[in-house]
């Protein structure tokens, strides 16, 4: 399963934890544009969730034609996100002649994006587009999973959710992210070592600084929106 891109690049400041040596920073504009394409994100998501597939399989699943999926697969492969692989075991795919089908899989890896301070205006624009589509897809998957889980299914309780606040320095936040990714990697294992009953679990972590009081605009009305107010007491009698 591919590691989701993190925030810091592979070169951390002096005295800060370095990402693993196999972490790769995606800083090339053409590569980021290839990844940010909405249909390519859907193709990559399907391969990550469901395993290897042909262009015909993807076309049926995503409502596209095979010409479109083949093109998007080639573009993703050109930038190292997917690669050809052997036919998936146990698949019922019957879309082509034996030995001529091209099967594709998502290439796993620890991929990182450059921090925003090192992004050019063009890269920022592409990153904003990529994040917009990725976050929308994540929310759709979460809501779909909740809707589709049958009553009585033991996995109906498999929706851990946490919202919290912590006060950190920027170096501590970088350390926090690396420790989080290390925790994910602790639970990764080869398919052969995965026990029966295990399912793919999607994990998403997002952290961002809360607005500071000093960041409030000078406009009194806007500033009031940043100021907490005591709860109002509702009168129920005359």
């Amino acid at each position: 399963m591919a590691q989701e891109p993190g925030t810091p690049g592979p070169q951390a400041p002096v005295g800060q934890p370095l990402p693993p040596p196999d972490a790769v920073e995606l800083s090339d504009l053409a590569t980021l544009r290839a990844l940010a394409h909405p249909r390519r994100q859907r193709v990559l998501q399907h391969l990550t969730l469901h395993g290897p597939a042909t262009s015909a399989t993807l076309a049926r699943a995503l409502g596209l034609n095979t010409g479109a999926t083949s093109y998007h697969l080639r573009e993703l492969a050109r930038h190292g996100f997917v690669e050809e692989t052997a036919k998936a075991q146990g698949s019922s795919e019957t879309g082509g002649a034996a030995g001529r089908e091209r099967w594709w899989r998502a290439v796993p890896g620890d991929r990182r994006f450059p921090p925003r301070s090192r992004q050019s205006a063009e890269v920022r624009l592409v990153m904003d587009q990529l994040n917009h589509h990725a976050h929308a897809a994540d929310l759709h998957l979460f809501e779909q999973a909740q809707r589709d889980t049958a009553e009585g299914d033991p996995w109906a309780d498999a929706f851990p959710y946490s919202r919290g606040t912590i006060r950190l320095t920027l170096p501590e936040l970088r350390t926090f992210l690396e420790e989080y990714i290390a925790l994910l990697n602790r639970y990764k294992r080869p398919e052969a070592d995965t026990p029966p009953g295990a399912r793919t679990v999607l994990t998403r972590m997002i952290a961002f600084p809360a607005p500071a009081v000093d960041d409030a605009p000078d406009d009194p009305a806007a500033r009031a929106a940043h100021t907490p107010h005591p709860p109002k007491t509702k009168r129920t009698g005359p």
Side-chain angles (χ1 to χ4, degrees):
M1 182 177 175
Q3 173 65 55
E4 301 296 327
T7 300
Q11 292 186 348
V14 176
Q16 302 308 317
L18 285 171
D22 57 349
V24 176
E25 182 176 282
L26 304 180
S27 56
D28 177 67
L29 184 58
T31 299
L32 292 172
R33 282 176 173 163
L35 182 62
H37 193 288
R39 288 184 177 179
R40 289 174 200 152
Q41 287 197 39
R42 293 175 62 200
V43 167
L44 192 57
Q45 175 181 281
H46 189 280
L47 294 176
T48 301
L49 294 180
H50 303 289
T54 66
S55 60
T57 306
L58 291 165
R60 288 194 295 269
L62 303 179
L64 304 172
N65 60 64
T66 54
T69 53
S70 294
Y71 169 72
H72 292 313
L73 283 166
R74 290 194 300 271
E75 285 300 298
L76 288 169
R78 190 157 68 94
H79 295 280
F81 297 115
V82 304
E83 65 183 7
E84 288 194 61
T85 184
K87 181 175 180 178
Q89 297 296 320
S91 173
S92 58
E93 174 68 22
T94 58
R100 296 180 59 186
E101 294 174 331
R102 300 182 71 180
W103 287 80
W104 302 87
R105 75 175 189 114
V107 177
D110 186 350
R111 302 183 180 98
R112 312 289 181 100
F113 297 133
R116 201 161 178 87
S117 61
R118 288 200 285 108
Q119 295 174 11
S120 66
E122 293 85 356
V123 168
R124 285 190 179 189
L125 185 63
V126 173
M127 286 299 307
D128 288 345
Q129 178 187 11
L130 190 156
N131 288 330
H132 172 77
H133 292 298
H135 295 161
D138 288 342
L139 181 59
H140 173 75
L141 284 172
F142 180 79
E143 293 177 341
Q144 182 182 42
Q146 287 192 314
R147 285 195 310 268
D148 295 347
T149 302
E151 185 175 353
D153 186 338
W155 284 87
D157 294 332
F159 293 87
Y161 179 70
S162 172
R163 300 178 73 213
T165 57
I166 49 179
R167 292 183 62 82
L168 300 173
T169 64
L170 188 55
E172 287 173 333
L173 181 57
R174 294 191 183 101
T175 301
F176 178 82
L177 175 60
E178 293 302 330
E179 290 180 353
Y180 168 78
I181 294 176
L183 177 63
L184 289 183
N185 289 331
R186 275 179 48 198
Y187 283 86
K188 290 185 178 181
R189 53 195 164 193
E191 189 65 31
D193 297 337
T194 302
R199 289 179 57 175
T200 297
V201 175
L202 303 180
T203 60
R204 303 290 186 264
M205 192 279 283
I206 182 170
F208 52 92
V213 175
D214 292 341
D215 293 339
D218 292 334
D219 176 42
R223 187 167 57 251
H226 291 262
T227 305
H229 297 281
K232 297 180 178 179
T233 302
K234 182 178 180 181
R235 295 185 60 185
T236 57

